[in-house]
Amino acid sequence: MSTAPIIEVTNLHKSFGTNIVLRDVSMQVAPGEVVVIIGPSGSGKSTLLRCLNGLEKPENGDIRIEDRSLMQAGVKITEIRSRMGMVFQQFNLFPHLNVLRNITLAPVQVRKQTPIKAEELAMSLLGKVGLLEKAGHYPASLSGGQSQRVAIARALAMEPQIMLFDEPTSALDPEMVGEVLAVMKELAAEGMTMVIVTHEMGFAREVGHRVLFMEQGVIVEEGTPQMLFDDPKQERTRAFLSKVL
Amino acid sequence: MHFRFEIIFDYIPLLLKGAALTIGISALAIVLGSILGLVVSFGKMSTRWYFSWPISGYIHFFRGTPLYVQILIVHFGLVPACIGHTDAIVAAVTALALNSAAYTAEIYRAGIQSIDKGQTEAAQSLGMTSGQTMRFIILPQAVKRMIPAFGNEFIVLIKDSSLVALIAAPELMYWSNVMRGQYLRVWEPYLTAAFIYLILTYSLSKLLGWMEKRGVTG
Amino acid sequence: MGKRLSVLLAAGILIMTMAACGAKSDNSSGSSSESNKNEKVYKFATDAAYAPMEFMDKDKITGFDVEFLKAVMEEAGLEYELKNTGWDAMLTEVESGKTYDAGISSVSITPEREETYDFSIPYFESTNMIMVKEDSTIASAADLKDKKVAVQGATTAETLMAGIMGNDNSNLKRFDSNAVAMLELDSGGVDAVVADIAIVREYMKNNPERKLKGILDTASFGSEFYGILLPAGSELKAKLDPAVTKLLEDGTYTKIYKEWFGEEPNIDNVLNAK
């Protein structure tokens, strides 16, 4: 890869009590790259993603985002986070705020944008995810697919350099998966750097530039979707794929 | 038992005046107590020992000693030490607020911890500081869930405030004691006072029930 | 509407429960007095928190009233038993007259109290005294009008000060005991305490370091007289009154009085009262 990586993970180690979740994990993501992480549940893929914006604290190793280490003492984690959007499996919309306020809160409070400017941006993002008419609604009245699209708009409102997706379609009814994936696809097409943990193999193959297969806390194999899906080198990858495809 | 209603009518204006002060003292105490309780609950949840230890001591003291004694200590110890002389109403509000804070802290803790962890994570992932997360995301949701518990605490305070008659704060119980003193009769003043307390607490619990039904809370 | 009814119902249940409890304790005492039928043991109640008149010395009730009662009952040839019931319980028990036959607790005889109770003939003359800090400028009851004053509730001091200051004057502070009222003076919450002369003297004697002085104002605070508290229409009055008179006249009273107060009582005042 010619350009400097925007995310650089080296020798990451993380455990919960005696349970080791990440063993010596290293990976890089280039600007504009779409990296998809697949693997069985409990393989550590979500933990790896959550380490990237500091929601989990690894014990060892280093994470550099835009060449700034997360592990250094005194690092301004909130500043790094504000340049990285995250979309959760359970949406995590703020139920006491309407859709518009969900989106504008962080830009106004964290980026100190004027409310008018934040609202303009929010409305254009809502248009982008196809939910303009829901601006005044509360999260409780939205379907799962709509909620997740609002959550994506909320993350985008911070105008992040990187978007992290933690199983964004796993909590959705099957008929709503498509609308969320469509938004993500559009985002990828615009050149957003994305790291996606997902079980949607079709999506991984279609949109991913690179696919990582994780199991038991290590990256077993990585490569282009074609390489990984059509010609896996490792026995464990083959075993996993035969189960999910 | 012969019940002398005429002495109740004599004292009704004073009893009502006392009831007004009962409400005033309790309301002020619940407001101050819940502000202080918020501070206390943050202290309790703090991972730094020099915050959490003194706060723990505070909670243990005010939950583990009789309010009766706390009122005396505040009235004859704390208030004179702070303002040079003692004052029954200041002491009453202070003692009840300090006592109440030890309990409302627990309401805050339970309310804050009842909010899904995902809310904090979502707020943090947007770059909010923990202060901003607390202020814009957690507290607004938690407070709604806490309103019934605060209402109950208010009812408890109204009843507990009867103890400040001890230091001659002229509230409801105080005036029924005065009434008792004049006629050396016990049931007329005490049952009348109990009845007024019942009206106060009953209306308050009805109001809370109405708020809950209207969906103002939880 | 239904709700209002249920509140009334709840209040009714409350009162009935209390009535039932009262009835139960009556029964138990009835059976115990039956066991010694030949000689009735009269039960006296007191609020032993009023030194030196009646107070607890460890677990024993003592004080002037206690010694005086002993002499009266001896003179009348009656068996009796004295219990520290506290003030409120004494009042309710003596009013009903079922469990307790009388109360002795420095109870001043007043017209309002006579509406509910009977009293023995007066047995003690008292007056109220003003207690202030040594450097106070207060010199008489009239000086107290716009000052902050502490009294014990349900005492004649309260009645007198309510008369001078107004019943609903917030500067008149009534406490549950004289001990707390006097503490209020120490803490600067009030400018003066008004209480029974015996109580004030006892307090000043026990707390010389507090630098207090007592002021007598006989013009404003007239004499008042204690009586033994009896249920209305009590048959005991006829037995007690002659015994009280006898003790006052034969010097026994004077002897007990001097033991407790170190001075001579004015017997004539007590005998001529009322």
Side-chain angles (χ1 to χ4, degrees), chain C residues 27-220:
Chain C
N27 287 342
S28 64
S29 77
S31 63
S32 74
S33 65
E34 254 167 4
S35 58
N36 39 9
K37 226 173 190 167
N38 46 347
E39 184 117 44
K40 179 171 164 65
V41 176
Y42 288 95
K43 294 190 76 176
F44 279 71
T46 188
D47 176 25
Y50 211 61
M53 297 303 291
E54 47 269 316
F55 58 99
M56 300 299 290
D57 184 359
K58 312 292 181 304
D59 56 348
K60 281 190 63 185
I61 313 170
T62 184
F64 173 83
D65 274 352
V66 178
E67 293 303 310
F68 170 69
L69 179 65
K70 194 173 149 204
V72 170
M73 295 310 271
E74 239 166 61
E75 178 62 37
L78 299 173
E79 289 282 315
Y80 79 104
E81 191 185 330
L82 179 65
K83 276 238 168 79
N84 179 17
T85 59
W87 185 252
D88 285 336
M90 178 184 78
L91 298 182
T92 49
E93 294 288 7
V94 174
E95 188 195 347
S96 81
K98 286 181 184 138
T99 311
Y100 284 87
D101 301 288
I104 184 160
S105 206
S106 311
V107 186
S108 294
I109 305 169
T110 71
E112 282 124 338
R113 293 169 178 182
E114 285 181 314
E115 289 169 14
T116 302
Y117 303 93
D118 278 358
F119 285 92
S120 70
I121 56 165
Y123 72 87
F124 192 90
E125 181 188 16
S126 177
T127 187
N128 283 290
M129 190 178 233
I130 304 165
M131 184 172 84
V132 292
K133 298 201 165 144
E134 254 174 19
D135 54 3
S136 170
T137 56
I138 293 167
S140 71
D143 293 343
L144 295 175
K145 205 169 165 49
D146 48 3
K147 291 284 195 300
K148 289 182 180 169
V149 180
V151 295
Q152 177 176 342
T155 61
T156 50
E158 183 207 333
T159 316
L160 286 168
M161 290 317 297
I164 293 172
M165 301 172 71
N167 196 27
D168 56 352
N169 188 331
S170 62
N171 283 335
L172 175 59
K173 294 163 193 276
R174 293 113 159 151
F175 292 87
D176 233 28
S177 75
N178 275 315
V180 187
M182 287 159 170
L183 199 52
E184 185 82 1
L185 178 63
D186 283 336
S187 308
V190 290
D191 306 302
V193 174
V194 177
D196 265 359
I197 183 166
I199 305 284
V200 170
R201 283 185 174 160
E202 177 84 3
Y203 186 80
M204 290 194 300
K205 194 179 87 192
N206 290 336
N207 301 279
E209 79 286 356
R210 299 249 156 94
K211 306 217 179 318
L212 301 162
K213 64 180 177 188
I215 299 160
L216 269 177
D217 183 347
T218 44
S220 308

Side-chain angles (χ1 to χ4, degrees), chain A residues 50 81 92-94 96, chain B residues 118-119 121 124 132 136 141:
Chain A
R50 290 161 60 82
R81 277 174 179 156
N92 296 345
L93 293 180
F94 306 132
H96 61 299
Chain B
Q119 293 290 307
E121 291 182 350
Q124 288 182 340
Q132 287 171 327
F136 296 114
Q141 296 183 57

Side-chain angles (χ1 to χ4, degrees), chain B residues 61-119:
Chain B
F61 177 80
F62 279 98
R63 291 180 153 214
T65 58
L67 180 56
Y68 195 94
V69 179
Q70 295 165 15
I71 291 169
L72 286 177
I73 292 175
V74 170
H75 185 60
F76 292 117
L78 187 64
V79 171
C82 293
I83 63 174
H85 63 99
T86 200
D87 182 282
I89 293 176
V90 172
V93 170
T94 309
L96 289 172
L98 289 174
N99 180 275
S100 174
Y103 290 92
T104 52
E106 192 56 26
I107 298 176
Y108 279 112
R109 193 195 57 75
I112 288 168
Q113 290 181 355
S114 78
I115 303 299
D116 184 52
K117 217 172 134 244
Q119 293 290 307

Side-chain angles (χ1 to χ4, degrees), chain A residues 57-213:
Chain A
K57 300 259 174 298
E59 283 106 35
N60 269 309
D62 193 19
I63 300 168
R64 300 183 83 82
I65 307 289
E66 296 180 292
D67 214 29
R68 277 192 295 180
S69 172
L70 287 191
M71 305 293 283
Q72 233 161 41
V75 68
K76 280 215 161 153
I77 186 77
T78 55
E79 203 184 303
I80 296 174
R81 277 174 179 156
S82 70
R83 297 173 59 77
M84 241 188 316
M86 176 134 182
V87 175
F88 299 85
Q89 183 178 350
Q90 298 296 340
F91 330 135
N92 296 345
L93 293 180
F94 306 132
H96 61 299
L97 303 176
N98 68 22
V99 166
L100 189 64
R101 288 266 291 135
N102 257 278
I103 300 173
T104 57
L105 180 66
V108 171
Q109 296 301 333
V110 180
R111 298 186 77 198
K112 309 295 176 200
Q113 278 186 356
T114 64
I116 294 170
K117 190 159 173 262
E119 270 174 39
E120 271 170 20
L121 178 61
M123 292 311 276
S124 84
L125 288 168
L126 277 176
K128 187 171 174 177
V129 300
L131 290 172
L132 255 183
E133 76 283 4
K134 296 289 184 188
H137 289 230
Y138 280 82
S141 68
L142 301 179
S143 73
Q146 291 168 337
S147 295
Q148 197 59 296
R149 280 142 71 198
V150 171
I152 293 171
R154 179 177 69 178
L156 290 174
M158 293 296 286
E159 302 182 309
Q161 302 300 302
I162 304 164
M163 283 289 283
L164 309 175
F165 292 84
D166 187 6
E167 304 198 26
T169 57
S170 298
L172 297 179
D173 291 337
E175 72 269 22
M176 293 173 179
V177 171
E179 61 192 69
V180 172
L181 292 182
V183 170
M184 291 168 64
K185 216 178 285 181
E186 195 187 329
L187 214 51
E190 287 168 9
M192 173 67 76
T193 309
M194 294 161 77
V195 182
I196 305 161
V197 170
T198 187
H199 294 291
E200 294 292 329
M201 297 306 155
F203 176 82
R205 179 192 282 260
E206 189 184 342
V207 181
H209 298 151
R210 195 149 50 92
V211 180
L212 270 56
F213 170 64

